Structure formats: C-alpha cells, structure tokens
Amino acid sequence: MKLKLWYDKTVQDNAGHYFDAVKKCRKKLEGLRVAMETTKSRLANIESEELRYKQKEEKKKNRKWFDDYHNFVSSDGFLCVGGRSAGGNEKLVKTHMEKDDLVLHTDMAGSPFFLIKDGQDAPETTIKECAQMVAVFSRAWKEGLGTADVFNVKPEQVSKTTNSGESMGTGSFMVRGDTKYVHPRVECAAVMEDEGKIVPQLTAEKKYKKYVILVPGRNKKTAIAK
C-alpha cells in the first residue's frame, strides 16, 4: 500500500489529511447506504403495488355474476344469492331468477330476496340455511329479533303485476299463492378460513372448521368487522 506524504508538512498534518479523507469516505458510504435502503424500500413498494394490481385484475377476471350479491353455497352444494339493496333485489329477480329456482323473502319491508339456484328440489337443510341468510339481512337483525319468519315460493308466484290502483317500488314484488314458512334463528357466521365471508350459522357448522358466530347487538358492523 502506497501513501502520498508531503515533506513540507509535519507527521501530524499528513496523518490529519488522511484522517479527514477517511471521515469524508465514511460520510459518503453512509449516504450511499441510506440511498440503497431507500431504493430497496421503493422497489419493495412497487413490487407490492404490482402484486396487488395483479391480484385485483385476477379477481376481476375470475369474477362471477353472483359476486355482486350476497352469496354462499349451502352444505348441500346449492348456490344461494340475495340482493344487497332495493336495486339489487330488482336486478336479481328480473335478471337472474329462473323457473327452477326457489325464491325466499320475509313479510318485513326492507328485506332481501334470495334465490336458491335450481332449488325446486333442494332439501330442507338448504332451505333452512338460505332462510337464515334472509333473516340476517332483513330488518329482524336491526330490531334485535331472535327469530324471523321467512317464506319460500316458486318463481311464477313472483311478479311486478299489482292490483288495480297499486304501485310497486324498486326492489318490491307481488307474491301470490301458497307460501311455505320456516323460522330460522337470526344468526350468521364469519368464516375465518375464507377471509371472513358471511354465511348462515347452519352452513358454517357443517362446512367449516374456523368461524365466529355473530348475533344482533349494539356494536356497529364496522367495529365488528375490524
């Protein structure tokens, strides 16, 4: 290793020169280290955003029509779909109700319509599970009721045709003919192994291992979700 020394300077001055040079190098190295850490952090954020974007696009790609509604698959394997709003009820019944479905609703205003797809031959277990979901999203939950009266009918019994002088608002339908009632408990389950998806408590008991039972109470939905 060669060092340049100045003969017109003292030993202390020569040493001081190199000491100052080392300090400058250390500062530069520290600045470089900080810059590298910042760059790594930015790259990690970019990669994370890119991953989130890809996942979002993948979800869009794999999105099904029933993802716009309340939905779950019963323990018997039947797809059950319900409206999230008056407009959702309207679109669900008008667009997706088919002759082999079973339609569920309550006598309470502001309740969702649910369809059990191809549900005309659905067993009682599926009907009870879907009825529980209707009850959960009906006014029965807000009013803190323990049970609710949920009926089921065939698609041909549901229409927008009203009696003379009556009007039918968005999300409301006339139901004519015989109705069959079940009286489910107003309870549901948040499934931990499926990102907290809400399903009937009856379904969770039969299909899942990790879930939390939810019942009407005073806590806000946002607080419970967190």
Side-chain angles (χ1 to χ4, degrees):
M1 179 178 176
K2 294 182 179 180
L3 292 176
K4 182 179 179 181
L5 299 176
W6 288 265
Y7 67 88
D8 57 340
K9 293 182 179 180
T10 64
V11 173
Q12 289 80 5
D13 288 340
N14 276 284
H17 169 79
Y18 285 107
F19 181 75
D20 292 340
V22 169
K23 284 201 298 184
K24 289 180 181 179
C25 288
R26 283 178 177 172
K27 286 184 179 180
K28 288 181 180 180
L29 284 172
E30 180 61 21
L32 180 60
R33 186 190 65 78
V34 172
M36 288 179 65
E37 290 298 324
T38 301
T39 301
K40 285 181 181 180
S41 178
R42 288 176 179 173
L43 284 173
N45 288 336
I46 291 172
E47 289 174 355
S48 179
E49 286 295 327
E50 185 179 8
L51 179 60
R52 279 196 290 267
Y53 176 78
K54 286 182 178 180
Q55 290 174 338
K56 188 176 180 180
E57 290 300 308
E58 191 66 24
K59 283 184 179 180
K60 284 183 180 179
K61 183 179 178 181
N62 298 324
R63 193 170 179 80
K64 308 296 184 182
W65 69 266
F66 50 80
D67 289 330
D68 292 330
Y69 303 89
H70 295 303
N71 71 85
F72 72 99
V73 176
S74 75
S75 59
D76 301 303
F78 286 81
L79 174 64
C80 303
V81 188
R84 292 180 180 272
S85 62
N89 278 345
E90 189 84 12
K91 185 176 179 181
L92 178 67
V93 172
K94 284 186 174 180
T95 307
H96 300 291
M97 185 176 70
E98 299 174 299
K99 62 182 181 66
D100 293 325
D101 296 342
L102 197 65
V103 185
L104 287 82
H105 191 51
T106 75
D107 294 323
M108 303 175 74
S111 300
F113 275 87
F114 259 79
L115 303 178
I116 301 178
K117 300 302 294 179
D118 297 318
Q120 299 263 337
D121 298 321
E124 282 298 313
T125 49
T126 286
I127 295 174
K128 288 179 179 178
E129 289 171 24
C130 189
Q132 190 169 54
M133 202 66 154
V134 175
V136 164
F137 291 112
S138 73
R139 257 177 45 206
W141 184 282
K142 293 181 180 179
E143 294 182 6
L145 302 181
T147 61
D149 301 325
V150 180
F151 65 80
N152 64 81
V153 293
K154 295 180 179 180
E156 57 264 30
Q157 295 177 250
V158 181
S159 73
K160 274 288 189 182
T161 305
T162 64
N163 297 324
S164 178
E166 294 181 346
S167 61
M168 192 63 59
T170 301
S172 298
F173 294 87
M174 288 294 295
V175 177
R176 294 182 171 86
D178 295 334
T179 55
K180 296 179 181 179
Y181 278 85
V182 289
H183 312 282
R185 289 190 60 79
V186 185
E187 295 180 349
C188 62
V191 182
M192 298 299 97
E193 56 200 89
D194 193 8
E195 299 181 344
K197 181 179 176 66
I198 299 298
V199 302
Q201 165 259 334
L202 296 171
T203 307
E205 289 180 351
K206 297 176 182 178
K207 289 183 62 177
Y208 302 99
K209 293 181 179 179
K210 296 181 180 180
Y211 57 88
V212 176
I213 299 298
L214 304 176
V215 297
R218 296 179 179 178
N219 294 325
K220 293 183 178 179
K221 292 180 180 178
T222 51
I224 295 298
K226 288 180 181 179

